[in-house]
Amino acid sequence: MNILITGGAGFLGSHLCDALIEKGHDILCVDNFFTGNKSNISHLLTNPNFTLIRHDVTFPLYVEVDQIYNLACPASPIHYQFDPVQTTKTSVHGAINMLGLAKRLKARILQASTSEVYGDPEIHPQTEEYWGRVNPIGIRSCYDEGKRCAETLFFDYWRQHKLEIKVMRIFNTYGPRMHPNDGRVVSNFIVQALNNKPITIYGDGSQTRSFCYVDDLITGMIKLMESHKSITGPINMGNPSEFTMIELAELVIKLTSSRSKLKFKPLPEDDPKQRQPNISLAKSKLNWSPKVSLEEGLNKTIIYFKNLLDK
């Protein structure tokens, strides 16, 4: 098939390009390189089944494809708060443009949504039926509400135009090709530990996250796209194993043999206290669950960052 991946030069997008090329598909990778990096897909540039277009999804795109994976949007707080208006436009205008393209082509389209639609949740773990607790005017709202609006648009296109849609809610994902300065906790901790610098923990370190290795996430994403058209989602994808920030920091220090010490700072505004997916739907509908343990995934990620820092 001819498959369009928006945000294809980003962390997740580049791994998706690899996986779909390996399956024999022709890939059209679209990215404006705000957070994507050409180095993530440089190994694919000479592949005859791979095409790269520099384009911003807030503008219409006229191409011919069979499937669309819509991954375009900065996903780390540092990047999405840099230009919050553009972040909202990327989620909302980008969704409108990609849904319009899918409607014209009668193509199946997948939206990479996020666990951030749950905000700072009152229920734990989070199920797809939970509507969330999001601050609509906070500093994270550009991302949270942008993604929530994108989900609204997807389901309205499904109801109004009978479009084949897939919506997945991605929980914390990590692995090689994360941006070293994206402010996400795994990349932060690893880079700080490799440099023997203090590891920055916000709050008292008791807040929790659940970390899914990128290979597991991409497998689930493709399974959802290839599932029966009646499975629209939204569907949670992530690793339900839950860790406190202190537990993560101590494990990273151990795996890197670092001399780093912990340094505590105030908790940022609207930072969720708990985040853990209920993945019962993914298990029952897609026969998907993560396989890679946190220690195994961290070791692979540490090797990537070590090579990056050694260059």
Side-chain angles (χ1 to χ4, degrees):
M1 284 189 290
N2 292 310
I3 300 176
L4 166 62
I5 302 173
T6 71
F11 163 49
L12 290 181
S14 62
H15 284 281
L16 181 61
C17 287
D18 285 342
L20 292 173
I21 287 268
E22 205 170 293
K23 282 175 164 280
H25 300 299
D26 288 325
I27 301 303
L28 177 59
C29 169
V30 167
D31 209 296
N32 69 350
F33 295 104
F34 173 59
T35 56
N37 197 311
K38 202 172 276 189
S39 65
N40 289 338
I41 42 97
S42 58
H43 60 289
L44 295 173
L45 294 175
T46 57
N47 190 309
N49 296 332
F50 182 83
T51 304
L52 173 65
I53 296 179
R54 188 175 193 129
H55 180 81
D56 189 321
V57 294
T58 61
F59 298 95
L61 181 66
Y62 302 102
V63 293
E64 304 295 319
V65 292
D66 305 303
Q67 288 184 348
I68 302 167
Y69 286 83
N70 187 35
L71 276 62
C73 191
S76 75
I78 284 177
H79 291 143
Y80 66 63
Q81 289 169 16
F82 175 76
D83 187 347
V85 171
Q86 184 62 26
T87 295
T88 304
K89 286 172 71 175
T90 300
S91 284
V92 178
H93 292 192
I96 290 168
N97 287 330
M98 289 306 112
L99 286 162
L101 177 62
K103 180 189 167 195
R104 178 176 71 80
L105 299 173
K106 296 182 171 56
R108 179 174 286 193
I109 182 168
L110 180 144
Q111 167 68 3
S113 192
T114 172
S115 60
E116 297 295 336
V117 300
Y118 299 121
D120 191 2
E122 301 144 304
I123 67 164
H124 192 74
Q126 291 80 56
T127 64
E128 291 85 353
E129 289 77 28
Y130 178 54
W131 290 355
R133 178 172 170 261
V134 174
N135 176 0
I137 59 169
I139 59 170
R140 300 169 71 105
S141 309
C142 58
Y143 185 67
D144 302 2
E145 296 288 31
K147 289 287 193 177
R148 284 162 71 94
C149 185
E151 287 196 15
T152 301
L153 286 161
F154 266 69
F155 278 91
D156 283 338
Y157 266 78
W158 173 65
R159 283 183 286 260
Q160 191 172 335
H161 301 297
K162 306 294 183 281
L163 200 62
E164 286 192 22
I165 65 161
K166 307 285 178 179
V167 175
M168 66 182 293
R169 291 176 177 163
I170 299 171
F171 283 69
N172 294 62
T173 306
Y174 70 98
R177 300 183 198 158
M178 292 183 85
H179 196 289
N181 301 314
D182 68 1
R184 294 194 225 193
V185 64
V186 172
S187 49
N188 262 10
F189 284 7
I190 291 175
V191 170
Q192 288 170 339
L194 288 172
N195 288 317
N196 292 303
K197 290 183 176 177
I199 291 191
T200 309
I201 292 182
Y202 295 95
D204 62 5
S206 64
Q207 68 270 39
T208 65
R209 296 292 184 272
S210 308
F211 302 101
C212 184
Y213 188 64
V214 61
D215 290 358
D216 283 335
L217 194 283
I218 295 301
T219 298
M221 186 181 286
I222 294 170
K223 277 195 169 211
L224 177 58
M225 178 62 104
E226 295 177 350
S227 63
H228 191 272
K229 66 181 180 181
S230 62
I231 302 173
T232 59
I235 195 158
N236 289 338
M237 282 198 184
N239 194 322
S241 299
E242 191 179 11
F243 298 88
T244 67
M245 296 302 94
I246 288 178
E247 287 173 332
L248 176 67
E250 288 173 345
L251 182 55
V252 168
I253 288 171
K254 175 188 152 194
L255 296 177
T256 55
S257 303
S258 175
R259 300 188 301 275
S260 295
K261 305 295 182 189
L262 305 186
K263 180 181 180 181
F264 293 86
K265 287 191 172 184
L267 198 65
E269 183 185 337
D270 296 331
D271 194 63
K273 310 299 182 296
Q274 289 183 306
R275 191 55 65 69
Q276 182 191 19
N278 179 316
I279 60 167
S280 302
L281 259 183
K283 284 179 176 177
S284 62
K285 300 283 188 185
L286 305 175
N287 192 28
W288 176 86
S289 60
K291 308 288 185 231
V292 180
S293 70
L294 182 61
E295 186 162 333
E296 182 187 347
L298 283 176
N299 275 322
K300 292 178 179 180
T301 312
I302 287 164
I303 290 169
Y304 168 78
F305 277 114
K306 197 168 187 311
N307 291 335
L308 198 66
L309 296 172
D310 287 345
K311 283 180 181 175

